[in-house]
Amino acid sequence: MKKTGKVLALLLAGALTVGLTACGKSDSSSGASGGGSNGEKVTITFQNISPDPTTPAYKIIRQLVAEYQKEHPNVEIALDTLNTDQQKLKLKTQAASREIPDITMVNPAAQMKPYVDAGLLAPLDDVLDKDGLRDTYQKGLLDYYSKDNKVYALPDGNNIEVGFYNKALFAKAGIDAPPTTFDELLADVGKLKAAGITPIAIGEKDSWTGSFLFMNILLRTNGGPGFLQDVADGKKTFNDPAFIEAVEAFQKLVQAGAFPDGATAIDATASGNMFRTGQAAMFFIGTWETGSNDASTVGKDVGVFKFPTVNGKGNLDEYMLAPGSAYAVSANSEHLAETKDFLHFFTSNYPKASFDMKNAVGLGQKVDGDFKTAGYSPLAIEILDMFKNIKGGDLSFDNTMNPAVSQVHLSSIQNLFVQQVDPKQVAAEHQAAFESNK
């Protein structure tokens, strides 16, 4: 894909980076009217996607909010905490009435574009240009959150998707090592099922989770990255054998009983907890979950592996690439200066807070510190080593295709969890959606 090279370069540059992080506490006097400095009571709504109280991300947000409110007693940060799909749906509804929160979450590229085009998001270059904040971001990352040379959102991470696995549950099922081929993955699913263990945790109520897993398979069956870009460029269609083969392989996982019963009624937060409480043996998710897995009751048993080859195809060092969700500010905020001041404080102090809470793997900003000396786990160090050897990859479907095509895709993949469908029919659905939404 055209943008993939840039994502790859900044992921490689970000691996075990030691550089600038916190720009220090926010200095209200140097920014526009920082934090209601005239004594007026100000409430800033902060919509976020960290709903699980057991995770470091949840705690980091509340820690930084508390610190800011202590320094600015006349400012209240009201948290609107949702899971990812809930937040996306709520934001669409709010956008329709042009009443989005002071701070909200958007995803890069194709997902952010409609909100920028509608004039709903405020440019954030003034926030970035204060106290050197811009230089803390990995080179090139902000491009995915920009339009017409203006930055509209500040990303929280830059990740790859991996397979986490529970070594104790693998041993219980008689599995010696994680799978390197899709056939091995299917065989492991069978062994885990026979041992009474749910093989793979997934929360397909939030439909992006199934799509992310499917896109790993497509990355392999296509023999490498670029399938969606080739479709967009008219070089391929969704009726291509690589896409049909990916649907076939995905359905083999479903039919083998790889996922929990009622997967479409389980959300992403619950699926993470399923893995972190030892109820499932594997969890295919972004490296943003590293800190949460480490901090869980099964942390000492968690290992990591690269997505397997499929029918002999693919390179294990090519990944689904995930420039993170990002913080955006409402252009119509009644407290725009105060909101920007808080966001500057939050993003300036986020790297250090994350590093201190053992949650700095996959950050979008440079990290000041030595991971090994700081006591990061062998799991975290192994993942950081993976970042060093990335050979390429793809962005997610909904960060690549327009929202209308993406919605058809998400629903189509979600449907595979509840009924078996002819792969050619799934391909035809995708192609029809693409052609009618060019």
Side-chain angles (χ1 to χ4, degrees):
M1 297 176 63
K2 292 175 181 176
K3 291 189 175 182
T4 304
K6 191 186 297 177
V7 182
L8 170 58
L10 59 93
L11 276 165
L12 288 168
L16 277 172
T17 297
V18 178
L20 295 170
T21 46
C23 306
K25 302 294 183 182
S26 176
D27 177 7
S28 298
S29 63
S30 66
S33 114
S37 54
N38 61 4
E40 173 197 356
K41 281 286 184 183
V42 170
T43 299
I44 296 169
T45 302
F46 181 4
Q47 193 174 80
N48 66 92
I49 52 172
S50 297
D52 186 346
T54 67
T55 62
Y58 178 99
K59 297 169 185 174
I60 291 164
I61 288 175
R62 281 151 184 80
Q63 173 187 315
L64 293 179
V65 164
E67 288 178 12
Y68 187 83
Q69 289 182 151
K70 186 176 180 181
E71 290 185 18
H72 304 80
N74 53 323
V75 177
E76 178 189 356
I77 311 297
L79 295 175
D80 180 21
T81 303
L82 307 158
N83 70 35
T84 301
D85 269 19
Q86 289 172 339
Q87 186 268 333
K88 284 182 180 179
L89 184 60
K90 185 172 184 178
L91 181 59
K92 284 180 183 177
T93 303
Q94 292 168 325
S97 59
R98 305 190 68 80
E99 295 180 351
I100 69 173
D102 298 295
I103 298 175
T104 188
M105 307 300 295
V106 296
N107 282 286
Q111 290 197 62
M112 186 187 79
K113 186 176 183 293
Y115 299 107
V116 175
D117 289 347
L120 292 171
L121 305 183
L124 299 176
D125 295 276
D126 53 342
V127 176
L128 287 164
D129 291 338
K130 181 181 170 186
D131 300 334
L133 179 61
R134 187 185 298 269
D135 292 334
T136 70
Y137 286 89
Q138 293 171 23
K139 186 174 177 61
L141 181 58
L142 294 173
D143 293 349
Y144 291 90
Y145 308 87
S146 301
K147 188 171 187 287
D148 299 330
N149 295 315
K150 295 178 181 178
V151 179
Y152 287 92
L154 306 184
D156 58 4
N158 192 30
N159 292 272
I160 54 177
E161 184 167 36
V162 296
F164 292 101
Y165 72 104
N166 185 315
K167 296 175 183 177
L169 294 182
F170 266 46
K172 183 178 177 182
I175 304 169
D176 298 328
T180 59
T181 70
F182 196 76
D183 285 343
E184 288 176 0
L185 176 60
L186 287 172
D188 290 344
V189 165
K191 292 175 184 177
L192 289 161
K193 288 281 288 183
I197 300 166
T198 298
I200 302 173
I202 199 165
E204 186 53 13
K205 183 177 181 181
D206 296 331
S207 54
W208 65 268
T209 59
S211 170
F212 232 58
L213 178 53
F214 171 80
M215 288 298 293
N216 279 276
I217 299 174
L218 180 59
L219 177 62
R220 298 290 184 252
T221 59
N222 191 54
F227 181 84
L228 294 182
Q229 190 63 53
D230 283 345
V231 171
D233 292 343
K235 297 175 182 176
K236 290 183 179 179
T237 73
F238 284 104
N239 298 313
D240 188 270
F243 190 85
I244 292 169
E245 185 181 358
V247 176
E248 289 173 343
F250 189 87
Q251 288 205 126
K252 285 181 181 178
L253 276 180
V254 175
Q255 299 305 317
F259 306 112
D261 293 337
T264 56
I266 300 169
D267 66 23
T269 301
S271 69
N273 287 331
M274 182 178 292
F275 178 75
R276 287 189 283 272
T277 55
Q279 297 177 62
M282 288 178 276
F283 189 30
F284 291 100
I285 200 74
T287 46
W288 62 78
E289 293 284 348
T290 305
S292 299
N293 291 337
D294 263 338
S296 72
T297 56
V298 300
K300 63 180 175 50
D301 292 322
V302 177
V304 65
F305 64 98
K306 304 166 186 178
F307 198 85
T309 58
V310 179
N311 300 329
K313 300 174 185 175
N315 184 328
L316 295 187
D317 289 321
E318 292 174 338
Y319 298 87
M320 287 305 302
L321 309 174
S325 52
Y327 306 101
V329 169
S330 168
N332 301 317
S333 170
E334 294 180 7
H335 308 290
L336 187 57
E338 293 86 354
T339 299
K340 285 185 173 183
D341 187 76
F342 167 70
L343 184 60
H344 181 275
F345 171 90
F346 183 88
T347 50
S348 296
N349 290 282
Y350 190 79
K352 184 179 186 305
S354 298
F355 185 78
D356 291 346
M357 215 171 283
K358 304 289 192 295
N359 199 49
V361 173
L363 237 57
Q365 288 167 278
K366 301 170 188 174
V367 177
D368 186 9
D370 185 297
F371 287 86
K372 290 182 180 177
T373 302
Y376 272 68
S377 70
L379 173 69
I381 300 301
E382 185 176 355
I383 288 171
L384 287 166
D385 285 341
M386 285 181 175
F387 277 95
K388 294 178 184 177
N389 298 303
I390 298 171
K391 296 293 186 287
D394 280 327
L395 298 181
S396 68
F397 195 105
D398 52 3
N399 283 340
T400 305
M401 291 292 177
N402 70 50
V405 179
S406 294
Q407 190 52 58
V408 170
H409 163 74
L410 293 170
S411 298
S412 183
I413 297 301
Q414 189 180 55
N415 185 51
L416 298 180
F417 284 83
V418 294
Q419 64 176 333
Q420 195 163 2
V421 183
D422 181 352
K424 291 182 179 179
Q425 180 184 329
V426 176
E429 288 173 2
H430 280 72
Q431 187 61 25
F434 175 73
E435 290 176 0
S436 61
N437 289 283
K438 285 183 179 178

